[in-house]
Every structure is written in structure tokens, then in C-alpha cells.
Amino acid sequence: MATIVAAGTTADPRYTKVAIWLHWLIGLAVITNIGLAMLTEGLPRETHHAAMGIHKAIGITILMLTLLRILWRLGHRAPPLPANTPSWEKWTSRVVHFLFYALLILLPLSGWVWMSAAGSPVDIFGLFTIPPIAAPDKAFADVMHERHEVMGLTMLALVVIHLLAVVKHQFIDRNRQLSRMNPF
């Protein structure tokens, strides 16, 4: 007789399918947005502008997916880390995940505020335009631009740390941590 085990429980150390798919969708969207922001910087104005239109739409999508993921997480606990995980790794994991969630919310919001203050509409893939959330103000837009870039670089650093941790757990520790987030 087969026993049914719920994902995210002690018996099954995997995340739920919904959490896994949201993780990968958000992760790929974040990496895409980092690439769009960094790799289109020196391109002709029209090309850069078009790429930034996609960047803005993906950013708002990341915000919505993150809010959905947080709501999902409220009802579905993350599976526990293996019992032999060193305390410094548990602490680091909590800090990095907190920073990820904070940036996944603050980064798109800062971009939205920046674009609003700059008087630039945020179009969502040609489907609709979201309303501005700040009054036009060039000085404020400049400040938000700087903050958005700093948060973007911080997100890049976190992504690198996260990927290095995945490599460490999978290939050095060989503790199968990657299987917790494997969608297949």
C-alpha cells in the first residue's frame, strides 16, 4: 500500500509544485531583467527603449508573482532543511531569502515609482498601462533611478550567492538540496 506524503512535510523534503514553479518563473524573470538592464545599456536609444519596455513589464510581473508566492507560502510551509545543516548555513539561508523577498517587492516598486516620477508610462506587454504611483518630479525620479540601480546590483549579488550555494550543495556536499526545487 502506497503512502501519500504531502510536499513540504518532514516526510517529503520538497517544496510544493506551485512553490517550485513560482520559484523558477520568478528566478528566470529576474535573470532576464538583469540581462535586459545590463546588456542593453550601450545599444542604440530605440533598441534600449524597447528592451526597457519589456524590462518594466517583466518587473511588474515579478512583483505580482512574488505576491502570489508569499500568499502561497502563508498556507504552505517550506520543507525543513536537513538535520545536519550547519547553523551558519541555516542563518545565511534565512537572511538571503529575506533579502530576496524584500528585493522582489522593492525593486519593481522602485522602478514603478521611478517611471511615475519621470512621467514615463509602464506598459504591460501592450495589454494595458498601469497607473502612475507618484507625481511627476525629475529630482525624485533621479533619486529613484539611483536606488533602483543599487537594488538591482544587490539582486545580482544575491543571485550569484544563491547559485554558488546551489553548486556547493549539489556538487561539494552532495546533499541533494537541488531536488527540493526540481520541477520534474
Side-chain angles (χ1 to χ4, degrees), residues 3 8 18 45 55 65 94 100-101 106 113 124 150 168 182:
T3 304
V18 171
R45 184 171 172 82
H55 174 88
L65 289 173
R94 281 193 289 274
F100 262 132
Y101 279 108
L106 294 174
V113 170
I124 307 301
V150 168
K168 175 197 178 287
N182 186 347

Side-chain angles (χ1 to χ4, degrees), residues 34 38 103 107 147-157:
I34 290 170
M38 297 182 101
L103 286 174
L107 198 52
R147 290 184 181 168
H148 187 75
E149 283 188 351
V150 168
M151 284 190 276
L153 291 171
T154 304
M155 177 63 84
L156 174 60

Side-chain angles (χ1 to χ4, degrees), residues 82-96:
N84 62 347
T85 303
S87 60
W88 73 267
E89 284 186 13
K90 289 179 183 178
W91 180 84
T92 304
S93 174
R94 281 193 289 274
V95 169
V96 168

Side-chain angles (χ1 to χ4, degrees), residues 3-182:
T3 304
I4 297 174
V5 178
T9 64
T10 306
D12 182 9
R14 289 175 44 80
Y15 283 84
T16 64
K17 289 280 187 200
V18 171
I20 289 169
W21 283 104
L22 286 170
H23 170 271
W24 285 103
L25 285 171
I26 293 167
L28 291 172
V30 165
I31 290 168
T32 299
N33 254 10
I34 290 170
L36 283 170
M38 297 182 101
L39 299 175
T40 64
E41 194 64 37
L43 295 180
R45 184 171 172 82
E46 264 186 45
T47 305
H48 178 72
H49 185 70
M52 287 302 96
I54 295 168
H55 174 88
K56 293 175 205 178
I58 291 173
I60 297 300
T61 303
I62 289 168
L63 177 61
M64 296 301 119
L65 289 173
T66 299
L67 294 174
L68 181 61
R69 184 163 181 199
I70 290 169
L71 287 173
W72 181 261
R73 179 79 181 265
L74 291 174
H76 303 84
R77 294 182 54 111
L81 292 169
N84 62 347
T85 303
S87 60
W88 73 267
E89 284 186 13
K90 289 179 183 178
W91 180 84
T92 304
S93 174
R94 281 193 289 274
V95 169
V96 168
H97 280 90
F98 173 80
L99 291 173
F100 262 132
Y101 279 108
L103 286 174
L104 287 168
I105 293 169
L106 294 174
L107 198 52
L109 281 177
S110 71
W112 188 4
V113 170
W114 166 29
M115 289 298 101
S116 297
S120 179
V122 178
D123 178 76
I124 307 301
F125 302 112
L127 301 172
F128 59 93
T129 301
I130 59 173
I133 56 174
D137 180 337
K138 182 171 177 358
F140 183 56
D142 291 343
V143 168
M144 291 310 297
H145 178 195
E146 288 178 28
R147 290 184 181 168
H148 187 75
E149 283 188 351
V150 168
M151 284 190 276
L153 291 171
T154 304
M155 177 63 84
L156 174 60
L158 286 177
V159 168
V160 169
I161 289 168
H162 185 65
L163 293 174
L164 289 173
V166 167
V167 169
K168 175 197 178 287
H169 287 295
Q170 188 67 26
F171 299 108
I172 296 172
D173 298 344
R174 297 183 186 271
N175 64 10
R176 299 183 38 83
Q177 286 284 344
L178 186 59
S179 66
R180 292 161 46 100
M181 265 305 167
N182 186 347

